[in-house]
Structures are given as structure tokens and as C-alpha cells.
Amino acid sequence: MSATNNDINGKEIAAQIRAELKIKVATLPTPPGLAVILVGSRRDSQTYVRMKKKACDEVGLTSFGFDYPDTATETELLDKVHELN
């Protein structure tokens, strides 16, 4: 399959967006952050969260991770959400 002018290079576009975000984030008085509450120990979820933390680091966002066992109660999790908000 040959490349045409209509082909989109997702990796290049993503890198460009991250570079632009990094510049914008650097101008903010306080960098925004991402808080992740991970319940249980699913490897796919852990991988997803790890990639989001890496993306945050790349653009200068603060990231916070909170891991809970799969036995965590709804009350525990809601308390953490309220604390973070």
C-alpha cells in the first residue's frame, strides 16, 4: 500500500500535540494534574495508568496515583474522590 497525501501519521501528530501542550503547561502558574484511583490489580489497567502517568510527565502535568485492593469499599473510594476534588 502506497502512502498518499491523505495518510495521517498518528505518532507524529501525537508528538506535535504533546510538544504544544508542554509549552502551554509551562506558562501556567500552577500545572494541572491527573489523579487516578486504581482498584484491584488488573495488569491491563495498571499498564494504561502507567502510560497516562508517562504522558503527564512528558507535558509537565502532575500525576497522582492511588491504588486500592479490589476489596475497597464504595465509601473508601468516594471519600478519596471528595478529598481530591
Side-chain angles (χ1 to χ4, degrees), residues 1 4 11 14 23 26 28-29 35 40 45 55 62 65-66 75 78 80 82 84:
M1 193 169 183
T4 67
K11 288 184 180 183
I23 292 167
L28 297 173
S45 294
T62 305
F66 303 94
T75 300
L78 287 175
K80 179 52 82 173
H82 291 298
L84 292 169

Side-chain angles (χ1 to χ4, degrees), residues 4 9 16 19 21 39 47 71 84:
T4 67
N9 185 326
Q16 181 181 7
L21 281 174
V39 181
T47 299
T71 57
L84 292 169

Side-chain angles (χ1 to χ4, degrees), residues 10-28:
K11 288 184 180 183
E12 284 181 18
I13 293 171
Q16 181 181 7
I17 291 170
R18 284 191 303 272
E20 291 171 8
L21 281 174
K22 186 174 186 172
I23 292 167
K24 288 180 181 180
V25 169
T27 66
L28 297 173

Side-chain angles (χ1 to χ4, degrees), residues 1-66:
M1 193 169 183
S2 64
T4 67
N5 288 338
N6 294 330
D7 288 345
I8 297 173
N9 185 326
K11 288 184 180 183
E12 284 181 18
I13 293 171
Q16 181 181 7
I17 291 170
R18 284 191 303 272
E20 291 171 8
L21 281 174
K22 186 174 186 172
I23 292 167
K24 288 180 181 180
V25 169
T27 66
L28 297 173
T30 303
L34 173 70
V36 177
I37 297 173
L38 185 62
V39 181
S41 57
R42 287 185 48 173
R43 286 187 181 263
D44 56 341
S45 294
Q46 292 168 340
T47 299
Y48 180 82
V49 169
R50 188 170 50 253
M51 296 305 292
K52 295 303 147 194
K53 287 181 180 181
K54 180 180 175 188
C56 285
D57 290 343
E58 288 178 15
V59 299
L61 298 177
T62 305
S63 64
F64 308 92
F66 303 94

